[in-house]
Amino acid sequence: MNKLLFYGTSDAQGVPRLLCDCKVCTQKDQLNQRTRPSAQFTMDGNVFLIDVSPDFKHQFHLYNNKKIPSTVFITHPHNDHVAGLGDLADLCYWNNVNTEVAGAPEVISELTERFPYLAYPILLM
């Protein structure tokens, strides 16, 4: 692996939480401005993504160098790990790129059921 880049390291709600006035959420420290979980790594010039959070569009603009991932690995089908699949599909469609989505068989089965419209340009494997 040449490089691992964390797009987001928050829990399912993100930090700061909406209308939360706790000490962490009200801090102005950038360390407490965290989006939901996703990571990118490169290997031999190929870009891979681990999970696609609901914050994917923002994360892609902020951290990515205009390289569409060739493969996305989904760890589990919770919304904070897959809700960005629609944005990823839109990115792939308008750039005429196919991206494979890989995961355990039960994860792919659930994604196929929840997101039947993602058959192209995302290939659920």
Side-chain angles (χ1 to χ4, degrees):
M1 183 176 352
N2 300 333
K3 182 179 179 181
L4 175 65
L5 174 65
F6 288 95
Y7 279 8
T9 59
S10 176
D11 63 3
Q13 284 73 38
V15 177
R17 282 179 165 62
L18 294 173
L19 301 177
C20 181
D21 61 357
C22 78
K23 181 180 174 181
V24 172
C25 289
T26 57
Q27 277 185 18
K28 298 301 179 204
D29 187 344
Q30 286 296 330
L31 291 176
N32 288 317
Q33 305 291 315
R34 294 179 288 135
T35 57
R36 288 161 287 192
S38 192
Q40 173 186 294
F41 67 93
T42 57
M43 190 179 312
D44 300 326
N46 294 312
V47 175
F48 300 89
L49 199 59
I50 303 169
D51 293 329
V52 188
S53 88
D55 303 312
F56 173 72
K57 185 176 181 177
H58 170 73
Q59 293 167 336
F60 186 84
H61 282 299
L62 190 60
Y63 300 116
N64 189 282
N65 193 19
K66 297 185 179 182
K67 295 182 179 177
I68 299 171
S70 60
T71 306
V72 176
F73 300 100
I74 301 296
T75 59
H76 61 286
H78 291 170
N79 273 349
D80 58 325
H81 293 260
V82 301
L85 283 171
D87 287 332
L88 176 63
D90 189 61
L91 174 68
C92 292
Y93 177 80
W94 289 106
N95 289 278
N96 198 30
V97 171
N98 287 335
T99 294
E100 289 184 354
V101 175
E106 61 273 11
V107 171
I108 298 303
S109 177
E110 184 167 336
L111 294 178
T112 302
E113 187 175 312
R114 285 173 56 189
F115 303 101
Y117 54 90
L118 295 180
Y120 171 83
I122 292 182
L123 308 171
L124 297 173
M125 310 299 272

